[in-house]
């Protein structure tokens, strides 16, 4: 298929899109329709000349926004549409060509991702209406982690909670962990091997990848487990919920809201969920920001050390996501907490590898596990999987 792929990431009130050519170097048309359903709904993006535009779309719904996006594709006709779907449960181990049975299976997993899957499905429905003739492919955040062995995905809970209700660890950010670990395998002389990946953005997760297969990851049943994130707590004592309910009278929804929206960097710093600001304030001596940075880095190091148990050999660590790609401070602090792993960071390379640069950060002549920064490309990976799925249907 030579035609470009339209990648769609549909939220409850937004649609992120990118038109991606089969030549990965070709420029992309990309943008975001946001605040859908409200009077200040709008479409923002860039054209092929790199010029930004903002188009008001008052009260537009998803289908109207897709029609507006279609007008922004500058006459280029997509050959397929790739949808980012958050939760594929145990049903989907890879991308799937959308038909009624696939939609039904995504609907059944909606209980596991009540905020995300229904929005993703609304995106598929609207896209089918606007592009009835195009093949649609569902690409799942969870699919890459379906290779986890039971010892990594099972919680120590009564079996029926797993067998009857699907309570297990699923993991997320799969397209990102898959993309960066595969890229490291291509760039490094060590090949596919054993890689620890750290996707550090607003959401954060780590993964242990062996021979292009995920063997463990820090997120679990939901994207709340694991690392400290922008506004998410990551791991807390499982007894916390009962404690907050009994002692403070908080409802399940209140607890959920605090752990998802008011915790993480924001909760610890008392300032912001934005790592740039946390770093600036920490440098200026703000105690909350210093603590937030400290806890954030310590928890990443602890998670990487724990996940190393999943790998037969350790070939290196990969940093990606907005923070992983841009923060020499976080990379330095994390690696300083792992002295026994034998990493050797070249400070100049660490400082210089920012703003979308890809590179190895090792000191010259170092032979231990490698340190890489690889800018993630979730959209590119979704386009690649979509193309593959359309060209080689099962
Ligand atoms: P998302 O998970 O929403 O895709 P990103 O991957 O873009 O988010 O990551 C956003 C995070 O990256 C924010 O915390 C932001 O502060 C951080 N970030 C971006 N640039 C820098 C930088 N130069 N230094 C430190 N953190 C940065």
């Amino acid at each position: 298929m030579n035609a470009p792929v339209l990648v769609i990431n549909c939220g409850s009130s937004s649609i992120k899109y990118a038109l991606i050519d089969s030549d990965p170097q070709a420029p992309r048309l990309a943008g975001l329709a946001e605040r859908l359903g409200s009077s200040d709904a709008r479409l923002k993006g860039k054209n092929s000349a790199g010029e930004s535009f903002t188009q008001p779309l008052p009260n537009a719904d998803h289908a109207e926004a897709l029609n507006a996006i279609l007008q922004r594709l500058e006459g280029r006709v997509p050959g397929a549409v790739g949808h980012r779907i958050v939760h594929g449960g145990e049903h989907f181990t890879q991308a799937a060509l959308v038909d009624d049975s696939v939609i039904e299976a995504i609907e059944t997993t909606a209980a596991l991702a009540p905020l995300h899957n229904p929005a993703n499905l609304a995106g598929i429905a609207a896209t089918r209406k606007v592009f009835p003739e195009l093949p649609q492919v569902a690409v799942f955040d969870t699919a890459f982690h379906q290779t986890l062995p039971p010892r990594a995905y099972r919680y120590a809970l009564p079996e029926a909670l797993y067998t009857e209700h699907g309570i297990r660890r699923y993991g997320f950010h799969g397209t990102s962990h898959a993309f960066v670990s595969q890229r490291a395998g291509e760039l490094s002389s060590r090949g596919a091997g054993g890689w620890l990946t750290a996707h550090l953005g607003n959401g954060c997760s780590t993964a242990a990848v062996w021979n292009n297969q995920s063997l463990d990851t820090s997120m679990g049943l939901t994207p709340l487990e694991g690392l400290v994130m922008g506004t998410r707590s990551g791991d807390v004592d499982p007894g916390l919920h009962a404690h907050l309910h009994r002692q403070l009278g908080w409802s399940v929804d209140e607890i959920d809201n605090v752990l998802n929206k008011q915790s993480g960097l924001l909760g610890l710093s008392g300032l912001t969920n934005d790592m740039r600001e946390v770093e600036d304030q920490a440098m200026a001596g703000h105690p909350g920001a210093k603590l937030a940075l400290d806890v954030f880095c310590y928890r990443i190091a602890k998670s990487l050390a724990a996940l190393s148990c999943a790998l037969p050999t350790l070939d290196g660590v990969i940093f990606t996501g907005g923070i992983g790609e841009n923060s020499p401070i976080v990379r330095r602090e994390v690696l300083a907490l792992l002295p026994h792993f034998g990493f050797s960071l070249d400070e100049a390379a660490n400082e210089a590898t920012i703003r979308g640069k890809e590179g190895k950060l090792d000191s010259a002549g170092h032979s231990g596990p490698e340190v890489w920064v690889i800018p993630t490309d979730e959209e590119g990976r979704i386009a690649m999987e979509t193309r593959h799925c359309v060209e080689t249907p099962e």
Side-chain angles (χ1 to χ4, degrees):
M1 186 176 81
N2 285 323
V5 171
L6 180 62
V7 174
I8 295 284
N9 183 352
C10 209
S12 56
S13 63
S14 68
I15 304 176
K16 230 171 146 180
Y17 74 93
L19 188 72
I20 301 186
D21 218 76
S22 54
D23 169 7
Q25 305 306 325
R28 294 176 183 182
L29 293 172
L32 170 72
E34 57 186 359
R35 303 178 194 169
L36 296 176
S38 79
S39 56
D40 55 354
R42 59 193 183 178
L43 175 63
K44 297 192 312 191
K46 279 195 173 156
N47 64 20
S48 54
E51 296 155 353
S52 303
F53 64 81
T54 302
Q55 176 185 349
L57 297 172
N59 304 313
D61 61 11
H62 285 79
E64 283 161 328
L66 275 167
N67 271 311
I69 289 168
L70 185 60
Q71 306 306 315
R72 294 283 173 179
L73 301 184
E74 301 180 2
R76 292 165 69 193
V77 182
V81 183
H83 294 270
R84 175 190 179 215
I85 309 290
V86 167
H87 219 307
E90 286 191 325
H91 193 92
F92 295 103
T93 56
Q94 57 186 21
L97 202 54
V98 173
D99 58 18
D100 291 344
S101 72
V102 165
I103 289 182
E104 209 174 296
I106 298 173
E107 276 165 358
T108 7
T109 55
L112 294 167
L115 298 180
H116 293 106
N117 274 27
N120 299 157
L121 281 167
I124 292 182
T127 315
R128 278 176 129 188
K129 233 189 261 168
V130 177
F131 305 105
E133 72 292 354
L134 289 186
Q136 319 262 338
V137 174
V139 181
F140 302 90
D141 264 18
T142 48
F144 181 60
H145 299 301
Q146 278 297 302
T147 46
L148 259 60
R151 70 178 186 189
Y153 72 68
R154 284 293 295 274
Y155 291 114
L157 292 169
E159 193 184 10
L161 285 176
Y162 169 58
T163 50
E164 290 168 26
H165 303 287
I167 307 291
R168 52 159 283 179
R169 308 184 62 253
Y170 290 95
F172 299 87
H173 290 144
T175 47
S176 180
H177 292 295
F179 176 82
V180 299
S181 54
Q182 186 179 340
R183 182 84 186 128
E186 288 161 9
L187 293 170
S188 165
S189 57
R190 292 163 181 261
W195 295 94
L196 292 171
T197 53
H199 176 104
L200 311 174
N202 278 313
C204 301
S205 67
T206 48
V209 184
W210 172 252
N211 221 356
N212 292 320
Q213 297 210 317
S214 176
L215 296 186
D216 203 352
T217 187
S218 62
M219 284 178 168
L221 175 73
T222 73
L224 183 56
E225 189 177 330
L227 304 179
V228 172
M229 312 182 207
T231 61
R232 283 175 249 168
S233 61
D235 290 342
V236 291
D237 183 332
L240 177 69
H241 298 68
H243 180 82
L244 291 174
H245 175 66
R246 291 188 192 121
Q247 299 302 318
L248 305 181
W250 289 8
S251 69
V252 169
D253 285 342
E254 282 169 323
I255 297 168
D256 200 46
N257 183 53
V258 166
L259 296 185
N260 275 293
K261 304 216 168 116
Q262 297 173 38
S263 299
L265 294 175
L266 174 64
L268 282 166
S269 70
L271 291 172
T272 175
N273 64 329
D274 190 306
M275 181 52 94
R276 276 165 295 205
E277 211 179 320
V278 169
E279 287 184 356
D280 290 348
Q281 291 295 329
M283 295 306 138
H286 186 282
K290 276 163 107 171
L291 180 69
L293 189 58
D294 236 25
V295 178
F296 183 81
C297 294
Y298 180 67
R299 292 272 292 276
I300 297 166
K302 203 162 129 173
S303 173
L304 292 172
L307 288 194
S308 71
C309 299
L311 298 175
T313 61
L314 176 59
D315 289 293
V317 62
I318 305 161
F319 290 95
T320 193
I323 299 171
E325 293 165 27
N326 290 298
S327 174
I329 296 175
V330 168
R331 297 189 300 237
R332 185 191 315 119
E333 295 297 312
V334 168
L335 294 172
L337 290 162
L338 298 166
H340 38 301
F341 279 67
F343 296 116
S344 179
L345 183 69
D346 179 311
E347 263 312 323
N350 185 35
E351 292 295 331
T353 310
I354 51 173
R355 291 198 204 96
K357 279 199 205 136
E358 176 177 78
K360 186 156 74 146
L361 307 187
D362 289 5
S363 309
H366 171 66
S367 61
E370 298 175 348
V371 179
W372 284 86
V373 173
I374 301 193
T376 196
D377 184 9
E378 289 169 282
E379 275 114 6
R381 173 88 190 187
I382 291 173
M384 191 267 277
E385 290 192 31
T386 300
R387 212 172 274 287
H388 181 77
C389 193
V390 169
E391 285 165 2
T392 52
E394 298 247 323

